Amino acid sequence: MSFSKKAFSLFQIDVVLFATSIITGAVIARELGPDLRGLYAIILLIPSYAEAFGRIKFDVASVYFLGKKIIALGEMLFILNLLAIFTSVTLIAIFLWQYDWIYLHLYRNTTVDAHLLTYTVLCLIPLQFISLNYIYIFVFQEDVKSYNLMLLLKALIGSFTGLVLLVLYDWGILGVLIGSISGLFFSIIYGFIKISRKEKMIPFFNFPVILEMIKYGSQHYIAGIIGHLQLHLTNLLSALYLLPSQVAFFSMAKGQGELLTRMVPNAVGTLLFSKISKSKNNRYKNNITVQSFRITFLIIAIISLFAILFIKSIVLVLYGGEYLPMIRPFLIILPGYILLQSTSVINSYFGGIGRPDLLPKISILPLIIQVAIAAILMPTLGIFGAALSFLISSVSLSIIKILVFCRLTKFNISSFLINRDDIDVLLQFIKEKLNTKGIIN
């Protein structure tokens, strides 16, 4: 199967996941209302930041080292799962040690008792870590079918279980969290069975190889922390300083912007990382990265244009009139996401050529810009100040990525501009797919 066909297959599953997330999110928003929806967003900050600071990115490193044939698959899987369990248990222990302090600050603007919800959400942390191990193994194998099915199980079982407990049994946020836990659990079972049929886990303690993986993964780890803060720091600041309803509007605006723009780059970047890691042809690696950016940007821009035109109607139909305040921050944030998601394919390039160290170096200045602008604007502009800080830092980060890529490859910045050939390639691909489906002759 060609690169474009595999990418399209991943894109198709992302469309299904997008639809599932939108429908699930709409039901949750309507059932909970703005205040409890805001509390739900605050609770999800716990596993989100646990992943950013506790996931040491051995799963990402596994694609690179397996691609270089330095380590066997069974040995790699043993290392990944052992570290996932160790790091997640350590994180939970640290959280419980500082539980009172975290609880006091995280829920400072709400009077709802969130103790049970907080303990429940901790169960997501080890499941997330282990799930990502199997997902990245499928990425290395370029096993699109298994990758897609694992994500589908997680989304569909999680959504169905959560909505049943929320709507039929009135379990509120607790029901949604239990749904997420069940989705992750069954997707891991599938991943374990699928990979075990090909190769069993093998205990492996070759410390020189492990140290090399730590060296490689640490760069992705640092970049991951900075990237997470780039994407989600404003969510945390809004949780600390704004009312839960405002947190709901801002987190939903950002969430919809991310969902809308990540489908294409997620599909392309997932395969691009593996392709570049395995290839020895520098010209091929450079050209496919630039073309991937142009096609990705073109598709995202078209999708986003339709979203801008119909956003008010979409919000009214899905969430109801009480969520209309999310529209303005969404419109501010969206251009930043278009650029940020399009340039995410460059992340795959840096990782694939063995230069993950570039990612944290590139990201630190835009993050500082975001923090500074948020600190200045949020006290007076609230969620609009947070949205502006995200927009400016996202555009800055995207421009720096392109400039660094051009310096490494000696490409001209004009090579990132969409041209007639890109439009023809996209139209031809669409035509081929419509022919395959028998829609046109």
Side-chain angles (χ1 to χ4, degrees), residues 142-159:
E142 297 185 35
D143 186 349
V144 175
K145 182 178 178 181
S146 298
Y147 175 93
N148 286 344
L149 188 52
M150 190 170 177
L151 293 180
L152 266 179
L153 286 171
K154 172 186 171 183
L156 296 181
I157 293 176
S159 294

Side-chain angles (χ1 to χ4, degrees), residues 213-280:
M213 292 181 65
I214 291 173
K215 182 179 178 182
Y216 180 90
S218 64
Q219 301 298 331
H220 278 287
Y221 173 71
I222 296 169
I225 291 175
I226 297 173
H228 179 88
L229 293 174
Q230 167 72 28
L231 287 174
H232 302 292
L233 180 62
T234 45
N235 294 62
L236 177 60
L237 293 174
S238 66
L240 294 177
Y241 296 107
L242 302 177
L243 295 174
S245 60
Q246 294 296 303
V247 175
F249 301 142
F250 181 70
S251 65
M252 290 175 69
K254 276 190 84 250
Q256 300 314 307
E258 182 180 5
L259 280 173
L260 187 70
T261 57
R262 80 179 181 192
M263 291 182 286
V264 177
N266 181 61
V268 173
T270 298
L271 289 176
L272 191 62
F273 180 35
S274 180
K275 286 285 186 185
I276 292 176
S277 296
K278 296 174 183 177
S279 177
K280 296 180 180 179

Side-chain angles (χ1 to χ4, degrees), residues 30 38 64 70 200 202 233 255 297 331 346 367 423 431:
R30 285 183 175 273
Y64 179 80
I70 295 173
K200 306 293 183 181
I202 303 171
L233 180 62
F297 182 88
L331 294 175
I346 301 177
L367 178 60
I423 298 173
K431 184 178 178 180

